Amino acid sequence: MWRLLINRLRSTMHKGKRSGLEVVETTKPKRKRSKTAVKEEEETTNAFSLTSTYHTFHDAAGVVLLRSQLLGWYDKEKRELPWRTLAVTESDLNIRTYAVWVSEIMLQQTQVATVIDYYNKWMKRWPTVQDLAGATLEEVNQMWAGLGYYSRGKRLHEGAQKVVSELKGQMPRTADSLLKQLPGVGRYTAAAIGSIALGQVTGAVDGNLIRVLCRLRAIGADSTSPAVTEALWSLANTLVDPERPGDFNQAMMELGARVCTPKGALCSQCPIQAHCHSYRKVHVKQEKNSRKLLGKVDRKPSALPDIEDCMNSGTCKLCPSEPWDDELGVQNFPRKPAKKPPRVERTLTCVVIRAGEDGEDEHLLTQRPNKGLLAGLWEFPSLLQEEKNSEKKQKQALCAEISRLLGTNLTDSLLQYVGEVVHIFSHIHQTYVVHSVRLKDGDTQTQTENAQWLTRSALQDAAVSTGVKKIVKLCDSVDPQKEQTSKDGKKQKHAGKKTDKKPQSSKKPKLSAANSSSRQLSLSSFFTTVKQEC
């Protein structure tokens, strides 16, 4: 009871008259209320405890100072990025909003360095929302190929078509309308577009801001929990600069990306270090540990204020539930739940080759369904491997699928093993077990609409995933002459074809290498970057 009164008194001192009145009102004689009313009061009381001044910014002067320090740093240190330049220089509000929308969707789960080239190409091809609406989904998928999370491109396309057909070509003008009217736009994306393109005064909480805010106010609870989520949005809306909301939100993101990083945070370079509870807490801990090592007794107060715990520690839904780890330092904040390990899959895939009319090899590709993983993209004929079936049965099933596509009858003995390719999606650890087969002229007519033959050069520019391009590189590593001869326009027999006697002598060591650990080592020289896709 005494602890509760002390907490409320402290809060009253910080919040001023208005808070004082609120506290006094709670002391009025209670009337008999329904169970629902009692439950609502309990939830309100919990919310009261969550907003302990320890986890908030209660000093208005401190907030003004933080804004000034952060924006001063941002003006000097910000990266020059094409979407930032466009947001400042583009006078047409519709184009500016569209351009920021495109950048925010591309930047979801994707690094800035990767996005720059894609963004520039996209805006050059489709500079307005009307241009994008007039494109086909195939063209959008082709432009997006390799960027990952392919459903993002599809939703951008759908959103552009909706703006043109239902909104008379005008982009929504507020964060709320962006959230309600555009597919694939969530709370953060709407707030980011609203503040950057439209100048709306609203905070925007992305992954970088979660980390920065949790460290600034020592919020150590699960950062995905509803209580923490709402607390962070409240903090963001408190801090955002009313004169420069877009710049402020981008400055917070820049700080999280370059200074307040997940690991190895550069606290000495942080412009708002003086406001950071986590930084101060680390130094309090270090001073205490130093005094213990020296055998000194804490007879006088520390030079640094001790802010180890908020007044409601133990019941506060924003405080850490796990003990402090000295080795982590500021990385104690935020705490995230352990990630669910990706499911492991093996997919049997076959590179089907035929000789084209001009002598250049062509490859058979099939189109994936319009929904789900890699929706609408093209791939080599593939079949998810099932544990219950033997490898031979799986190979026969893949051969049957290829026969169906071509309207012919192939035997699985024609499929030659090439090797394996590992590709990591956000939630799947995928291994492609790659085979190849070269067809005779009479076996090459496709029988379905979702299949096509592409030359090597056309395949590189098609709407295919990074995994498909890795498979092509694997085939080239087994047959290094293939790429060169394709460019020359001459026919090249497959290295694994039984009737080709000359390469037969080199077939065995190549295939045995694919079955050994050296195959994985050789692949590393080809694949320097593994992109996540969904």
Side-chain angles (χ1 to χ4, degrees):
M1 181 67 181
W2 280 108
R3 181 170 181 145
L4 179 60
L5 289 173
I6 291 172
N7 290 343
R8 290 184 176 179
L9 181 60
R10 282 187 131 208
S11 181
T12 302
M13 291 171 65
H14 286 298
K15 290 184 178 179
K17 288 185 178 181
R18 183 177 177 182
S19 294
L21 290 173
E22 290 173 352
V23 174
V24 171
E25 286 173 3
T26 62
T27 63
K28 290 180 180 180
K30 296 181 180 179
R31 293 177 295 175
K32 190 173 182 180
R33 292 159 298 159
S34 66
K35 291 182 179 180
T36 303
V38 172
K39 184 177 181 180
E40 288 176 354
E41 186 188 30
E42 289 174 352
E43 291 176 351
T44 303
T45 304
N46 288 335
F48 181 89
S49 67
L50 291 180
T51 55
S52 162
T53 55
Y54 177 69
H55 297 300
T56 62
F57 289 91
H58 56 275
D59 181 6
V63 170
V64 172
L65 180 60
L66 184 150
R67 291 170 181 163
S68 174
Q69 291 170 329
L70 181 63
L71 286 170
W73 170 83
Y74 178 70
D75 289 337
K76 294 179 181 178
E77 302 294 335
K78 66 182 177 183
R79 292 168 290 180
E80 295 298 328
L81 301 172
W83 46 89
R84 286 179 179 170
T85 301
L86 202 154
V88 172
T89 59
E90 180 55 63
S91 58
D92 188 303
L93 185 61
N94 215 47
I95 295 177
R96 186 166 73 240
T97 306
Y98 162 72
V100 175
W101 175 36
V102 171
S103 70
E104 286 299 330
I105 297 299
M106 284 189 171
L107 286 165
Q108 291 172 1
Q109 303 294 321
T110 309
Q111 293 182 350
V112 168
T114 303
V115 169
I116 293 174
D117 189 45
Y118 280 91
Y119 182 80
N120 287 333
K121 289 179 180 178
W122 182 286
M123 293 304 296
K124 184 177 181 180
R125 184 167 183 178
W126 301 306
T128 69
V129 69
Q130 288 80 6
D131 293 323
L132 177 58
T136 65
L137 180 58
E138 178 72 13
E139 290 172 328
V140 170
N141 283 337
Q142 186 175 340
M143 179 68 77
W144 202 274
L147 191 57
Y149 295 91
Y150 293 91
S151 59
R152 295 179 296 168
K154 181 180 179 181
R155 288 196 293 266
L156 264 175
H157 186 238
E158 291 173 348
Q161 291 181 326
K162 182 178 181 180
V163 169
V164 170
S165 63
E166 299 180 22
L167 305 179
K168 300 180 180 181
Q170 296 299 305
M171 292 289 295
R173 292 290 190 262
T174 66
D176 285 342
S177 57
L178 285 162
L179 181 62
K180 293 175 182 177
Q181 296 177 326
L182 295 185
V185 171
R187 187 177 183 181
Y188 159 73
T189 304
I193 300 170
S195 62
I196 297 170
L198 304 171
Q200 188 172 349
V201 182
T202 176
V205 180
D206 73 341
N208 284 316
L209 265 83
I210 289 173
R211 183 168 57 258
V212 171
L213 292 173
C214 281
R215 289 175 180 172
L216 279 173
R217 297 294 93 175
I219 298 174
D222 178 0
S223 59
T224 63
S225 70
V228 173
T229 298
E230 291 309 311
L232 294 177
W233 275 93
S234 177
L235 288 174
N237 286 325
T238 298
L239 292 178
V240 65
D241 190 290
E243 301 298 323
R244 299 174 61 187
D247 284 344
F248 184 85
N249 286 334
Q250 290 182 96
M252 289 288 277
M253 297 174 206
E254 190 87 346
L255 187 71
R258 299 175 58 193
V259 176
C260 195
T261 52
K263 296 181 180 179
L266 304 174
C267 295
S268 61
Q269 299 179 24
C270 181
I272 54 175
Q273 178 199 98
H275 306 270
C276 184
H277 281 358
S278 300
Y279 177 78
R280 293 168 65 190
K281 182 168 183 174
V282 168
H283 282 263
V284 167
K285 291 284 188 182
Q286 288 176 345
E287 185 176 286
K288 283 187 175 181
N289 290 337
S290 296
R291 294 180 69 82
K292 286 181 181 179
L293 288 173
L294 295 172
K296 295 181 179 180
V297 180
D298 289 329
R299 292 179 180 175
K300 61 180 181 179
S302 168
L304 292 169
D306 189 346
I307 57 162
E308 281 190 38
D309 299 299
C310 77
M311 291 299 295
N312 302 329
S313 180
T315 59
C316 176
K317 291 186 177 181
L318 303 185
C319 283
S321 58
E322 300 177 27
W324 175 269
D325 186 338
D326 285 332
E327 293 184 3
L328 290 177
V330 295
Q331 290 171 217
N332 279 280
F333 307 99
R335 292 289 177 90
K336 294 183 179 180
K339 284 186 178 181
K340 184 179 179 180
R343 71 174 185 266
V344 177
E345 288 185 357
R346 290 177 67 83
T347 296
L348 216 59
T349 189
C350 186
V351 180
V352 183
I353 308 166
R354 75 173 185 182
E357 293 181 1
D358 60 354
E360 184 178 358
D361 282 348
E362 295 180 339
H363 301 77
L364 177 65
L365 284 95
T366 62
Q367 191 171 31
R368 293 182 63 86
N370 289 327
K371 294 183 179 180
L373 183 69
L374 307 177
L377 297 190
W378 294 86
E379 65 181 3
F380 297 118
S382 301
L383 187 67
L384 186 63
Q385 200 166 348
E386 299 177 5
E387 292 183 7
K388 62 181 181 180
N389 291 335
S390 66
E391 184 177 342
K392 183 172 179 59
K393 285 185 178 181
Q394 293 286 120
K395 193 174 176 182
Q396 289 172 343
L398 178 60
C399 194
E401 173 62 14
I402 297 170
S403 297
R404 183 188 69 80
L405 292 170
L406 299 175
T408 187
N409 187 21
L410 299 178
T411 60
D412 63 284
S413 61
L414 294 174
L415 274 59
Q416 301 295 315
Y417 176 76
V418 178
E420 295 186 356
V421 167
V422 175
H423 187 67
I424 310 297
F425 296 89
S426 60
H427 58 296
I428 302 173
H429 186 283
Q430 181 68 261
T431 300
Y432 294 103
V433 183
V434 184
H435 291 75
S436 68
V437 61
R438 178 173 287 277
L439 300 177
K440 297 178 181 179
D441 293 340
D443 300 330
T444 59
Q445 298 302 315
T446 57
Q447 303 296 310
T448 62
E449 293 182 357
N450 65 335
Q452 64 174 335
W453 291 96
L454 291 179
T455 63
R456 170 62 183 273
S457 57
L459 190 154
Q460 291 295 332
D461 296 329
V464 298
S465 68
T466 304
V468 168
K469 293 181 179 180
K470 286 183 176 183
I471 292 171
V472 172
K473 288 185 178 182
L474 171 64
C475 293
D476 289 343
S477 71
V478 173
D479 186 0
Q481 296 299 317
K482 181 175 170 50
E483 184 176 3
Q484 183 62 44
T485 53
S486 294
K487 291 179 180 179
D488 294 340
K490 298 178 182 178
K491 292 184 179 180
Q492 173 68 27
K493 293 184 177 180
H494 193 279
K497 193 172 180 180
K498 292 184 178 180
T499 56
D500 192 348
K501 293 182 180 180
K502 188 173 181 180
Q504 184 70 24
S505 61
S506 61
K507 172 186 170 184
K508 186 174 181 179
K510 286 179 180 177
L511 292 181
S512 62
N515 286 319
S516 68
S517 60
S518 62
R519 163 60 57 204
Q520 299 300 321
L521 291 174
S522 65
L523 284 177
S524 65
S525 64
F526 291 93
F527 317 134
T528 57
T529 303
V530 177
K531 295 181 181 178
Q532 292 190 331
E533 303 179 283
C534 75

